[in-house]
Amino acid sequence: MTTQVEAIFGVIFDLDGTLVSSELDFALIKAQIGCPCEQDLLDYIAQLPSPYMREEAMNIVHQHELIDAQSASILPGVADAVNALKAKEIPMAIVTRNFDKAASIKLQNNPLPIETVLTRSDAPAKPDPSALNAISTLWNISPSNLLYVGDFLYDIQAAHNANMRACLYAPELTPAYADQADYVLHDFADLVTLVESYSEKIELC
C-alpha cells in the first residue's frame, strides 16, 4: 500500500510560546473574572449573560495581554528559522488568540519577516479554523499543503479542523496530547529541515 505525503508549501505560526515568550497567568486571569479553572477563558466570557459583563471581563484580559506584550521576547532559534524559510520563499503567517493590540506590540518589539497576522479581533479564536482557512484562501494553497506550528492543544485542534498538518512545538516538557500532532518539534532549528523534507511529494511504501 502506498501513502502519498503532501508537500509543505506554506507555514502558519502561533505567536505566544511559539515565536515569542509569554508570561500570561491564566489561573490569575480566570480567578479575577470568575472563570472555572477547567473552562476555556474566551468561551466563558462569550457566555456571560450581559454585554456589560462581557466587556468588563474582556477588559481584564486585555490589561493582562498588554502588560505581557511589553516584556515578550523572541524565542531561541525562531529568527534563524523564519529567515531561512523566507529565503526559500515559503509563505508565512501568524494566527494567534491574542487581540490585535497586544499582538502588534509583540511584533513591533520583536520584528519578524511575517506580514500576515490574524488575531481573535479578525476571526474566531482557535480551535476554530476560520483564520487558518482564510489564509489558505488568501494564498490559494490547499490546506493539505500547509503546516500550522503551535505550542498548545488548541493549535493542534485548529490545524486539524482546517485539514492542515499540526506541528507541536514542545521545547521542554512533551505534553500528553503530543500524540495528536502530526509532528513534534523540540528545537526550532529543526523546523527548516522538516519543511525541506516535504518540499517535494514523497511516497511512503
Side-chain angles (χ1 to χ4, degrees):
M1 182 177 179
T2 301
T3 302
Q4 185 165 286
V5 179
E6 297 284 348
I8 295 174
F9 293 149
V11 181
I12 308 172
F13 298 97
D14 171 46
L15 183 59
D16 288 1
T18 302
L19 297 179
V20 301
S21 63
S22 176
E23 301 298 330
L24 281 172
D25 187 339
F26 287 102
L28 175 60
I29 300 171
K30 288 182 177 183
Q32 288 180 344
I33 68 173
C35 174
C37 294
E38 69 280 1
Q39 189 166 354
D40 177 76
L41 183 62
L42 298 179
D43 287 345
Y44 173 79
I45 294 173
Q47 57 84 45
L48 288 172
S50 76
Y52 173 78
M53 293 174 69
R54 292 192 291 272
E55 182 179 1
E56 287 298 297
M58 194 57 75
N59 283 340
I60 292 173
V61 176
H62 286 169
Q63 290 170 11
H64 282 273
E65 288 180 313
L66 289 171
I67 292 170
D68 181 62
Q70 298 294 342
S71 61
S73 59
I74 197 161
L75 291 173
V78 167
D80 287 344
V82 168
N83 286 328
L85 292 176
K86 181 175 177 60
K88 296 178 183 299
E89 300 184 341
I90 301 292
M92 293 176 287
I94 294 171
V95 169
T96 173
R97 278 170 65 100
N98 265 308
F99 85 120
D100 52 359
K101 290 182 181 178
S104 178
I105 291 170
K106 290 186 175 187
L107 292 170
Q108 285 173 7
N109 293 343
N110 302 280
L112 290 166
I114 302 176
E115 296 181 0
T116 302
V117 180
L118 295 183
T119 72
R120 69 167 187 269
S121 307
D122 304 302
K126 300 172 292 184
D128 188 292
S130 298
L132 297 181
N133 290 337
I135 292 171
S136 174
T137 300
L138 174 68
W139 289 345
N140 194 27
I141 297 176
S142 169
S144 63
N145 294 118
L146 296 176
L147 180 71
Y148 185 55
V149 183
D151 69 318
F152 189 59
L153 176 61
Y154 290 159
D155 301 313
I156 299 172
Q157 293 172 337
H160 290 164
N161 289 342
N163 296 314
M164 297 180 186
R165 272 169 283 175
C167 178
L168 177 69
Y169 179 50
E172 297 175 358
L173 298 177
T174 302
Y177 53 77
D179 60 353
Q180 298 181 42
D182 299 285
Y183 316 103
V184 178
L185 193 69
H186 298 294
D187 186 331
F188 226 91
D190 295 332
L191 177 62
V192 179
T193 303
L194 172 63
V195 174
E196 284 178 337
S197 69
Y198 291 98
S199 59
E200 297 180 357
K201 290 187 177 181
I202 303 168
E203 288 193 347
L204 299 179
C205 296

